[in-house]
Amino acid sequence: MIYAGNFKSNHTRKSTEYYLKALAQKLGAKQAEDKVYIFPPLTAIDHYEGDFTLGVQNAYPTHHGAFTGEIGLEQLDEFDIKTILLGHSERREHLGESQADISKKFAFFQDQDFEIVYCIGEPLAIREKGFEAVMQYLLAQFEGIDIGYENLIVAYEPIWAIGTGRSATVEEISSTHRALKKVLKHTPLLYGGSAKPSNIKEIKNIAGVDGVLVGSASLETESFLEMILS
Ligand code: PEP
């Protein structure tokens, strides 16, 4: 299983350091084959010790240059960061990233051999239109994306389940993952959207779920650990 924690704009450098120290101490108890990823805010990236991979939530597709407010490869290389989250619905919705912007980032970081956690997900209005509309919407989010890339992890995150406390049902996750797996074949497929200690076992048992991308419930070491060790 893969457990990825996305801090978004939460935690400081100091609290991330504290969090990761506490996490690292307890990760010896996880299954050896399980993988843990943490995506802290950019101000907290650093070299940390522990059985987890540190990634970034965003970066600009450039080595360096005149891109005010952005960071590029040079800044990531300083901390040996080789993992990036792309396509998150919050960046698509609130930061205005288009599919073309995202695919440009994808191609750049693929070229740099980054491990890419690529997020897709539909809004509620599409889910309410039925399964066919959902799949059409999700598959359009693969436009310009090399889904055969060997360092790719896909996260299916229904937007209406993110940060709302309302996870998708077992049937919704199961049918969507089954359909996505037909396209993705061997690419690991995570579920994201209000995954938490109380529903993690149920989610993990769904065929086609290779792990979880977790927002709110990853913010406290105890609750994220509870999920990892469940
Ligand atoms: C996310 O934003 O990737 C996410 C899954 O958030 P939450 O777990 O809070 O729903």
Side-chain angles (χ1 to χ4, degrees):
M1 281 279 149
I2 293 170
Y3 300 87
N6 174 14
F7 287 1
K8 310 187 183 185
S9 309
N10 299 293
H11 276 299
T12 60
R13 184 175 187 79
K14 191 118 206 95
S15 68
T16 300
E17 197 182 322
Y18 188 77
Y19 177 109
L20 291 175
K21 244 184 212 153
L23 185 77
Q25 277 171 9
K26 303 273 175 62
L27 282 181
K30 75 172 178 57
Q31 305 282 325
E33 66 275 20
D34 286 349
K35 287 200 75 183
V36 175
Y37 294 81
I38 298 290
F39 296 90
L42 284 174
T43 56
I45 61 169
D46 207 337
H47 292 105
Y48 296 99
E49 294 283 313
D51 189 7
F52 56 83
T53 299
L54 201 76
V56 287
Q57 301 167 25
N58 178 48
Y60 200 72
T62 185
H63 288 262
H64 52 82
F67 302 99
T68 302
E70 297 286 338
I71 67 161
L73 199 61
E74 194 172 279
Q75 289 77 32
L76 299 178
D77 277 350
E78 186 177 17
F79 298 103
D80 301 312
I81 300 286
K82 292 295 278 180
T83 303
I84 188 164
L85 195 68
L86 292 177
H88 194 282
S89 60
E90 285 156 11
R91 293 206 61 85
R92 293 180 192 264
E93 286 204 325
H94 307 314
L95 283 306
E97 281 191 6
S98 67
Q99 189 61 28
D101 296 331
I102 297 164
S103 58
K104 209 165 127 192
K105 285 189 181 184
F106 191 101
F108 179 86
F109 287 103
Q110 174 178 8
D111 227 37
Q112 302 301 327
D113 292 325
F114 267 58
E115 188 167 25
I116 299 175
V117 179
Y118 182 69
C119 305
I120 57 171
E122 83 286 358
L124 189 58
I126 297 291
R127 177 53 71 173
E128 284 170 345
K129 281 189 182 165
F131 191 65
E132 216 171 291
V134 170
M135 287 314 297
Q136 203 177 355
Y137 192 93
L138 296 179
L139 295 179
Q141 292 180 328
F142 290 142
E143 226 164 81
I145 302 297
D146 177 6
I147 57 169
Y149 178 44
E150 58 184 7
N151 273 332
L152 171 65
I153 296 171
V154 171
Y156 167 57
E157 301 204 298
I159 298 170
W160 44 273
I162 294 180
T164 59
R166 174 192 161 190
S167 167
T169 64
V170 169
E171 165 49 29
E172 285 164 335
I173 300 172
S174 166
S175 53
T176 312
H177 275 234
R178 199 179 318 123
L180 287 171
K181 279 278 182 184
K182 282 191 188 146
V183 181
L184 292 170
K185 310 235 161 38
H186 302 300
T187 300
L189 181 57
L190 315 184
Y191 167 76
S194 298
K196 50 194 165 205
S198 61
N199 60 18
I200 186 67
K201 281 201 182 115
E202 190 175 64
I203 293 171
K204 279 188 347 187
N205 281 333
I206 301 171
V209 171
D210 302 305
V212 280
L213 178 54
V214 188
S216 323
S218 73
L219 295 179
E220 303 284 336
T221 329
E222 293 71 26
S223 87
F224 196 42
L225 265 169
E226 196 179 334
M227 296 174 79
I228 296 166
L229 304 181
S230 65

